[in-house]
């Protein structure tokens, strides 16, 4: 008889969990068709993310960096949340408190219907002026007309000379305070944390599962391959999130439906 797909311990933890956090990286969106950062089909494989996702690269070559984001926006606008995203939404119907803490900027958790999402690294659908901070969230960047510039005019009629940039966290930049502290609080009170589709390389995000563990959370990792986190988790489910998550949620739904009230 083949070994059960999910351990009795994992199912018991999920059956009684009140507070669950899903900590996600690019891997949770891979099955939607969003290239991961470090896979061999990784974004613009000839560049390392750190080379493009940083303010110096933007100031040196705003066209190149904006083209990278415009291309990624096009991909993200053309795809849908996958069964992994939707299983996490389903989980909200059976576990009292579910929080998504994502490193992704693709907006797919919100589009799938997740209610509580902390976006540690921003959101590619939002923009702001680097100089005055005015938001340009719905601006449709048309690079043919040059790099988007701020259109704010001050009381003396002077136009703000700032560049408009994507509202994402670049390397070397601090994470948005509300998102970071919201994520830390969620991790500190989690019964179960699912670390899904992240290589666990980028800090401070990668420190979150350890914060949860040190506060007693049961730590589960879902990834087709081991990561630096793997030997510290309670359960490692080796495989794709779009395959594992729907099956895991289905199982937990059955258990919780038959649990004595
Ligand atoms: C900070 C937004 C400091 C932009 C991203 C030197 C100088 C400065 C900083 C540093 C430094 N050295 C180290 C640092 C810290 C740095 C860092 O961690 N660097 C790394 C590279 C070592 N961090 C920072 O700079 C952070 N800021 O430290 O500020 C500071 C402090 C005080 C005051 C001022 C400054 C900011 C980091 C945020 C960077 N922005 N994204 C954009 O997207 O364009 S990071 C980007 O890569 C993503 O957001 C994500 O977080 C990150 C990692 O990617 P993953 O999501 O893990 O994806 P990856 O491809 O790596 O892995 C995918 C995984 O999925 C794989 O494991 C794969 O096996 C798996 N998978 C594949 N398919 C599936 C799957 N899993 C499940 N199912 C599948 N189907």
């Amino acid at each position: 008889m083949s070994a059960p797909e999910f351990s009795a311990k994992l199912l018991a933890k999920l059956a009684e969990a009140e507070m669950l956090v899903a900590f996600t990286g690019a891997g949770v969106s891979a099955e939607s068709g969003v290239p991961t950062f470090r896979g061999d089909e990784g974004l613009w494989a000839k560049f390392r993310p750190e080379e493009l996702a940083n303010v110096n690269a933007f100031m040196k070559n705003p066209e190149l960096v904006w083209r990278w984001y415009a291309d990624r926006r096009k991909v993200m606008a053309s795809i849908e949340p996958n069964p992994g995203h939707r299983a996490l939404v389903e989980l909200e119907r059976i576990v009292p408190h579910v929080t998504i803490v994502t490193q992704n900027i693709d907006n797919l958790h919100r589009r799938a219907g997740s209610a509580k999402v902390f976006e540690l690294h921003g959101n590619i659908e939002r923009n702001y002026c680097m100089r005055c901070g005015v938001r340009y969230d719905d601006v449709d960047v048309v690079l043919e007309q040059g790099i988007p510039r701020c259109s704010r005019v001050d009381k003396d009629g002077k136009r703000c000379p700032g560049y408009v940039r994507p509202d994402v966290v670049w390397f070397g930049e601090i994470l948005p305070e509300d998102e970071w502290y919201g994520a830390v609080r969620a991790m500190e009170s989690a019964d179960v944390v699912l670390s899904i589709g992240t290589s666990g390389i980028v800090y401070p995000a990668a420190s979150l599962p350890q914060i949860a563990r040190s506060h007693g959370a049961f730590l589960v990792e879902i990834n087709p391959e081991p990561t630096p986190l793997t030997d510290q988790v309670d359960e490692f489910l080796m495989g794709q999130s779009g395959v594992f998550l729907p099956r895991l949620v289905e199982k937990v739904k059955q258990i919780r439906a038959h649990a004595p009230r």
Side-chain angles (χ1 to χ4, degrees):
M1 189 167 91
S2 63
E5 190 169 41
F6 306 118
S7 73
K9 180 121 193 255
L10 167 62
L11 294 176
K13 287 287 179 187
L14 286 169
E16 64 205 23
E18 291 289 312
M19 316 274 282
L20 179 138
V21 174
F23 173 61
T24 67
V28 80
S29 300
E31 290 153 88
S32 294
V34 182
T36 60
F37 280 84
R38 294 169 183 84
D40 40 22
E41 87 299 356
L43 295 163
W44 287 28
K46 59 180 180 298
F47 290 96
R48 286 184 313 117
E50 300 85 276
E51 287 174 288
L52 288 173
N54 81 61
V55 67
N56 301 327
F58 184 78
M59 295 318 287
K60 205 166 94 211
N61 191 339
E63 291 78 8
L64 176 72
V65 175
W66 253 118
R67 207 150 4 97
W68 184 47
Y69 282 97
D71 282 4
R72 291 168 71 191
R73 262 199 185 132
K74 246 189 247 132
V75 167
M76 291 169 190
S78 68
I79 55 168
E80 293 299 321
N82 67 55
H85 295 107
R86 284 198 287 276
L88 293 174
V89 178
E90 183 61 22
L91 211 48
E92 291 178 16
R93 298 191 182 97
I94 45 181
V95 174
H97 304 283
V98 172
T99 304
I100 309 287
V101 173
T102 189
Q103 301 172 82
N104 301 337
I105 62 171
D106 57 30
N107 206 35
L108 286 177
H109 285 299
R110 283 192 206 286
R111 285 179 51 200
S114 287
K116 195 169 175 195
V117 183
F118 289 109
E119 292 171 317
L120 298 175
H121 295 156
N123 184 318
I124 200 166
E125 295 185 3
R126 298 194 304 256
N127 309 289
Y128 65 91
C129 169
M130 288 183 88
R131 195 183 173 95
C132 72
V134 164
R135 305 210 59 88
Y136 291 87
D137 288 345
D138 48 4
V139 81
D140 195 8
V141 174
V142 182
L143 292 177
E144 288 62 42
Q145 291 153 14
I147 301 303
R149 306 296 293 249
C150 187
S151 53
R152 188 180 63 82
V153 175
D154 67 15
K155 57 186 177 357
D156 310 328
K158 258 178 76 220
R159 179 135 172 205
C160 170
Y163 277 132
V164 174
R165 61 166 277 180
D167 185 9
V168 297
V169 179
W170 281 334
F171 286 98
E173 293 184 328
I174 51 176
L175 278 55
E177 235 177 70
D178 296 351
E179 305 300 306
W180 173 251
Y181 288 112
V184 170
R185 271 196 306 277
M187 290 290 178
E188 287 173 343
S189 44
D191 304 314
V192 175
V193 169
L194 307 176
S195 177
I196 309 165
T198 180
S199 57
I201 292 174
V202 173
Y203 283 83
S207 62
L208 288 169
Q210 285 314 329
I211 291 175
R213 195 104 169 62
S214 63
H215 282 76
F218 185 80
L219 201 47
V220 186
E221 181 176 36
I222 301 178
N223 197 313
E225 58 189 28
T227 70
L229 184 67
T230 305
D231 57 12
Q232 293 136 44
V233 301
D234 297 291
E235 187 106 4
F236 176 47
L237 301 176
M238 187 139 142
Q240 296 189 315
S241 48
V243 172
F244 264 127
L245 281 172
R247 297 211 297 241
L248 183 58
V249 171
E250 202 36 52
K251 202 91 180 118
V252 176
K253 213 155 83 175
Q254 289 162 11
I255 297 171
R256 287 182 87 118
H258 296 105
R261 287 278 163 235

